[in-house]
Amino acid sequence: MKRLCLLGMAMAGLLTAGISTAATAKPLATGSKKPAKTKPAPKPVTTKVSCKLGLVLQPTALVTTIVPGTTSGSQAGTAKCPGPVGGGVQTDKFTTDDSGDVTAPYTQWFKAGTLAGQYTLIPTGGGQPSAGNNSFGAQTYAGTLTVTGGSGAWKGATGKAKLTCATPDAVHLACTESLTVTVPPATK
């Protein structure tokens, strides 16, 4: 009987040790799960494009003539850009200082949204009409354009461009715009 008791105690000890070991043991791996991949943060999108602008001096309401040498006014016309920018229109309100430099806030409307900012043009050749000179003059310009905002697909856009422009008559202005514009990633 003593042997039986000893055997029973030994079995009980083994069972107790097995239960405590099972409670602290790590579960068997059924397959390793990798942590979910996080998507990289969206990056800003930069677009480089060369646009052609064709602007025309706009007379104010009730004005039937355009005077040479106008120091301020409005222009409107086409903006033709290849690729994702596309074609659209531009309007601006310009001022010309005593040295002939032209500055203007502008807005360009495209199918995907608007771009807005300011440009500056510096005369590089030709002659400006002066007081008492009733002829329209040919002029060439070089300048810069900044993009300070936009809407639609261009929301939050920033950028810059080099401009080269020419006018045969101080009424029609043709420009080439070498534009680099950056749009921040869309936020939800």
Side-chain angles (χ1 to χ4, degrees):
M1 186 70 139
K2 235 180 182 184
R3 283 188 188 177
L4 224 63
C5 254
L6 286 176
L7 182 60
M9 287 171 60
M11 298 259 313
L14 286 174
L15 284 174
T16 304
I19 291 173
S20 65
T21 304
T24 61
K26 292 182 182 178
L28 293 174
T30 57
S32 79
K33 289 187 176 181
K34 294 182 180 178
K37 289 185 179 181
T38 57
K39 293 182 180 179
K43 295 182 180 180
V45 176
T46 299
T47 302
K48 292 183 179 188
V49 66
S50 181
C51 302
K52 301 289 185 190
L53 308 175
L55 303 172
V56 178
L57 184 62
Q58 302 296 303
T60 58
L62 303 177
V63 172
T64 58
T65 60
I66 297 175
V67 178
T70 301
T71 58
S72 65
S74 299
Q75 298 178 110
T78 59
K80 295 180 181 178
C81 307
V85 180
V89 297
Q90 175 174 318
T91 61
D92 65 57
K93 293 189 180 290
F94 70 90
T95 57
T96 305
D97 66 16
D98 291 340
S99 66
D101 293 356
V102 178
T103 57
Y106 73 91
T107 303
Q108 295 174 331
W109 283 270
F110 299 102
K111 186 176 181 180
T114 63
L115 290 173
Q118 182 160 325
Y119 70 80
T120 301
L121 296 174
I122 299 168
T124 57
Q128 290 284 34
S130 58
N133 177 357
N134 291 329
S135 66
F136 291 97
Q139 181 67 45
T140 57
Y141 298 92
T144 59
L145 174 140
T146 58
V147 176
T148 57
S151 67
W154 303 103
K155 184 178 180 180
T158 57
K160 59 185 176 180
K162 289 184 179 180
L163 290 173
T164 55
C165 301
T167 179
D169 57 14
V171 175
H172 301 89
L173 184 67
C175 298
T176 299
E177 171 185 275
S178 300
L179 177 66
T180 301
V181 63
T182 301
V183 179
T187 57
K188 292 183 181 181

